[in-house]
Structures are given as C-alpha cells and as structure tokens.
Amino acid sequence: MSTFARVARVVNTAVTPLLSAPVIGPLLGKSMTQISYTGRKSGKRFTLPVAFRRQGDGTILVGVAAASQKTWWRNFQPGPTPITIELDGVERTGTGVAKVGNKGTSVVVTLDDV
C-alpha cells in the first residue's frame, strides 16, 4: 500500500464519524457524504466519504481529487454502475459513471427516484 493510500485511509477513518456528529455533521453534510458501491473485480462492498455537489438537473457530482493516485472511481468505468449515496440523512440509490475531462475526474450519480 502506498503512502498516499495509507494517509487516505486514516483521513477517511477520521472523517466518517464526523459526518454523523451532532454539530459538525450538518455542516459537513452540505458538501460531503458517503457513497457505497461494489468493487467490480473484488465483489466487495466499499463505503467511503466523498465531496459532492448537486447539479441543477438532479444529478450529483462526486469529485475525485488526486484521481491518478486513487482507484475507487474506476469501478464506475464504463458505467453505469449501481451506487448508494447518503443525502440529507437518507440513503438513496442510483447509478454512477466516471467522467475524465479537462477539469478533472468525477463520478456523475443519477438517482433512481428523481
């Protein structure tokens, strides 16, 4: 495991409980949440905290910082791939597709119940 992966694991472990903390959770929840997905090769279920932004068309944009150092977003290529995302305290299902472009890498989530 690389140094980057080790640091990311520690940060994710620290951030996850903060998302449900009484005071700080609602503040973080405006731009951070958790996603869950099944690894396409391993078949394992993964949950991790991510930064997100709601799009005007009802989709959710999950940013992938330092995408070249991360592998999780590749599970959404070519997509669409099932995903669960927590929004406003409610788990919602949908599909995700990884997009790589000039402005970086993101996973575009389309919710099932929009």
Side-chain angles (χ1 to χ4, degrees):
M1 183 182 295
S2 71
T3 302
F4 182 87
R6 283 189 198 103
V7 170
R9 182 174 288 189
V10 169
V11 170
N12 289 349
T13 302
V15 169
T16 299
L18 293 177
L19 290 171
S20 58
V23 176
I24 206 163
L27 295 173
L28 285 175
K30 293 178 182 179
S31 63
M32 292 193 72
T33 191
Q34 290 189 98
I35 61 167
S36 297
Y37 62 93
T38 301
R40 79 176 168 210
K41 290 182 181 178
S42 69
K44 292 181 185 177
R45 190 81 174 149
F46 296 95
T47 300
L48 63 141
V50 295
F52 78 97
R53 186 174 69 229
R54 296 172 196 255
Q55 300 294 97
D57 61 0
T59 60
I60 308 296
L61 191 66
V62 175
V64 184
S68 64
Q69 305 255 348
K70 298 177 181 176
T71 59
W72 69 264
W73 60 271
R74 292 180 179 102
N75 288 285
F76 299 95
Q77 285 183 320
T81 302
I83 189 171
T84 303
I85 185 168
E86 189 174 315
L87 295 171
D88 305 320
V90 177
E91 263 193 14
R92 308 216 10 222
T93 59
T95 55
V97 177
K99 302 286 184 184
V100 180
N102 299 356
K103 295 183 180 181
T105 302
S106 60
V107 174
V108 178
V109 178
T110 303
L111 300 173
D112 291 337
D113 57 355
V114 174

